[in-house]
Amino acid sequence: MSSGSFNPFEMAQAQFDNIAEQLDLEPGMRQLLRNPLREYHFLIPVRMDDGSTQVFRGFRCQHNDARGPSKGGIRFHPQETIDTVRALSMWMTWKCATVDIPLGGGKGGVICDPHHLSAREQEQICRGWVRQLARNVGPVQDVPAPDVMTNAQHMLWMLDEYEHIHGGHAPGFITGKPVGMGGSLGRTEATGYGVIFTVREALRELGIRPQDTLASVQGFGNVAQYAIRLYNQLGGKVTCVSSWDQGDQTSYAFRKQNGVDIEELVSITDRFGGIDKNKAEGLGYQVLPGDAWIEEEVDILIPAALENQITGETVLKISQRVKVIAEGANGPTTPEADQVLFERGVYLIPDVLANAGGVTCSYFEQVQSNMNYFWERDEVLGKLDVKMTAAFEAVSELAKKRGIYQRDAAFMIAVDRVARACRDRGWI
Ligand code: NAD
């Protein structure tokens, strides 16, 4: 999905070029890493419930697999573009390398709107997606997962189709499966919890107690809801959240000065993370225009909805009180905004680190699936905390040592690891 003239792939390439320059990468390596190694474009014909046939466009990009099989989600979205998928596949490579798991980066998508598709039609899209790619994905090649508007059911249909084509069981082909069908306990919470593990560490470094902080969150889907739950457990209060209103085709922010009640809000939220604004008003929430979340007088901002939200323009609306920004979403901050945040000394926890809990837990799921084993929830979340905290410390240490922005430090660690793997394999 890309809005207006914003092109996420150009942004991802600009970020990479900047790091390649700082690492003094050789020209061949730059050429290799600034584009996906492989990409697949295909059509998925589906017989609709009314008997007509509709043809959907699907994509898969495998940005780099020098460190291990490609890994990354599949999005269903009416405004999906190949450049968004390319950018996200590149960010997945950096994300897996930042948290040091033995996987590369991939991403996929289908241009479709699940709001207007029956369950059977969605199943046909899932099966069609796998039929087009069955020989190019798999446990040792490329391991998909859920992303925006896809869920555990979609993954199970895809797994079933993959196993049907190849014969036998291959639960390590895909992650985000339902628990009880090879899914890992802790996966649902993993990304949101991971965001807060890194926020906890950032606050520790800044000498601030979580219970003395307020936060504002963009989005109220999977990432946002679990981030808010864990942040509340640490004692923090969220005063504002926002979400997309499907009916009005716009976003709204929901504000409560003494803290939103997560369970109450979840009870009036649809399965796509849209909050019912009439019910919210009835419960005493102030309903504001969607971009109000960014102007909140808080200590922590958590963009957890979309890319391109903190821009050269919107960054100027951020309160001077904000000390930490944790990127739950992928690519929410543009390079112009980064410059302003760095100069202001805001502690930015970049997406490749902050939201890496999801892919880290997916990796744990894959390990369990490949071994036909099943870990307890506390074991999964405990391992996740260890991995995220270690990655946070490495990024923070490099940023301090070189006096650089946290995003640059994370990217330098990640790009260097991937470049070394390419060199060690003799690719460059
Ligand atoms: P989701 O579909 O569960 O929720 C998305 C939320 O964003 C919904 O509440 C929706 O209403 C809201 N939203 C959409 N457009 C909006 C707008 N213009 N303004 C305000 N709110 C808006 O998705 P999710 O899984 O929570 O993912 C959110 C972000 O985090 C995405 O960028 C995704 O790529 C990223 N991410 C997710 C995971 C994961 O494990 N789920 C992992 C890493 C990164």
Side-chain angles (χ1 to χ4, degrees):
M1 298 160 285
S2 62
S3 42
S5 57
F6 168 72
N7 183 323
F9 188 45
E10 283 171 12
M11 174 172 140
Q13 288 189 315
Q15 285 172 337
F16 169 73
D17 292 343
N18 167 31
I19 299 303
E21 196 58 37
Q22 294 190 49
L23 289 173
D24 197 21
L25 287 188
E26 53 273 52
M29 189 70 79
R30 294 184 196 206
Q31 253 177 300
L32 181 70
L33 295 181
R34 76 193 301 281
N35 288 293
L37 196 56
R38 289 175 221 102
E39 55 182 58
Y40 304 94
H41 300 225
F42 46 89
L43 298 176
I44 308 171
V46 170
R47 179 70 47 83
M48 306 300 281
D49 291 349
D50 65 4
S52 66
T53 297
Q54 209 172 313
V55 178
F56 296 89
R57 184 167 286 277
F59 307 110
R60 184 73 179 172
C61 289
Q62 295 164 352
H63 172 259
N64 189 281
D65 55 8
R67 288 171 42 88
S70 306
K71 184 91 195 75
I74 303 170
R75 297 178 155 203
F76 283 180
H77 200 278
Q79 274 99 46
E80 192 63 282
T81 69
I82 184 61
D83 274 346
T84 309
V85 178
R86 286 176 177 139
L88 292 165
S89 72
M90 189 191 286
W91 284 323
M92 283 306 293
T93 304
W94 311 143
K95 197 179 296 184
C96 292
T98 302
V99 282
D100 205 10
I101 53 180
L103 295 169
K107 206 76 175 190
V110 177
I111 304 176
C112 70
D113 188 350
H115 293 96
H116 303 303
L117 296 166
S118 70
R120 194 200 63 83
E121 290 163 345
Q122 292 181 45
E123 176 179 351
Q124 291 313 307
I125 293 180
C126 291
R127 291 186 185 276
W129 193 92
V130 172
R131 279 200 294 276
Q132 294 299 333
L133 284 169
R135 283 178 179 58
N136 308 105
V137 292
V140 294
Q141 287 166 286
D142 180 4
V143 183
D147 204 296
V148 175
M149 287 204 266
T150 56
N151 57 37
Q153 175 64 74
H154 296 113
M155 299 305 107
L156 195 56
W157 285 326
M158 289 184 169
L159 174 65
D160 188 69
E161 189 67 23
Y162 183 88
E163 292 179 339
H164 186 74
I165 292 168
H166 290 280
H169 285 280
F173 152 60
I174 206 159
T175 61
K177 301 180 288 294
V179 173
M181 289 299 293
S184 177
L185 290 172
R187 175 62 186 90
T188 314
E189 305 90 308
T191 308
Y193 274 29
V195 170
I196 301 304
F197 291 149
T198 63
V199 167
R200 180 196 65 202
E201 294 307 308
L203 292 177
R204 196 196 311 272
E205 203 169 299
L206 296 172
I208 302 170
R209 299 182 328 150
Q211 56 269 43
D212 297 335
T213 63
L214 299 178
S216 175
V217 181
Q218 187 190 33
F220 197 63
N222 171 264
V223 178
Q225 291 181 18
Y226 284 98
I228 295 171
R229 281 201 177 96
L230 187 60
Y231 175 64
N232 285 163
Q233 280 174 33
L234 297 181
K237 242 193 278 180
V238 171
T239 58
C240 186
V241 302
S242 70
S243 79
W244 182 253
D245 189 295
Q246 189 59 30
D248 295 356
Q249 287 291 298
T250 189
S251 58
Y252 292 106
F254 302 86
R255 192 157 179 274
K256 211 173 225 184
Q257 192 49 46
N258 41 11
V260 306
D261 178 329
I262 176 77
E263 300 312 335
E264 179 182 82
L265 272 186
V266 167
S267 74
I268 57 165
T269 299
D270 67 25
R271 67 198 165 97
F272 300 107
I275 299 170
D276 185 318
K277 70 173 186 307
N278 296 324
K279 289 184 182 159
E281 244 159 4
L283 290 167
Y285 287 85
Q286 224 182 323
V287 180
L288 301 165
D291 52 7
W293 73 279
I294 208 169
E295 299 174 19
E296 275 289 286
E297 278 285 313
V298 289
D299 308 279
I300 302 163
L301 289 180
I302 305 180
L306 298 173
E307 59 273 20
N308 195 30
Q309 298 302 300
I310 305 178
T311 62
E313 210 177 297
T314 62
V315 72
L316 304 174
K317 298 181 182 170
I318 294 178
S319 150
Q320 291 299 323
R321 179 170 169 175
V322 170
K323 295 168 198 76
V324 174
I325 297 180
E327 296 184 325
N330 290 312
T333 312
T334 65
E336 302 79 62
D338 273 336
Q339 193 58 38
V340 177
L341 295 173
F342 181 52
E343 280 161 16
R344 266 185 54 182
V346 172
Y347 200 113
L348 178 110
I349 311 171
D351 48 8
V352 290
L353 173 62
N355 71 36
V359 72
T360 305
C361 193
S362 292
Y363 161 62
F364 294 154
E365 177 178 333
Q366 208 202 351
V367 170
Q368 294 169 78
S369 286
N370 288 341
M371 303 290 285
N372 212 4
Y373 200 72
F374 195 60
W375 300 338
E376 296 302 330
R377 178 177 178 274
D378 286 352
E379 185 175 356
V380 174
L381 293 175
K383 284 184 198 300
L384 181 66
D385 196 348
V386 168
K387 215 66 188 124
M388 298 288 299
T389 301
F392 178 92
E393 279 169 4
V395 171
S396 147
E397 207 169 290
L398 183 67
K400 271 188 286 185
K401 197 166 100 190
R402 300 238 188 146
I404 56 177
Y405 194 44
Q406 284 84 1
R407 188 187 313 285
D408 287 359
F411 272 61
M412 281 173 88
I413 290 172
V415 173
D416 183 54
R417 284 179 179 154
V418 176
R420 275 171 201 271
C422 294
R423 268 185 227 112
D424 290 351
R425 283 177 179 275
W427 289 359
I428 295 287

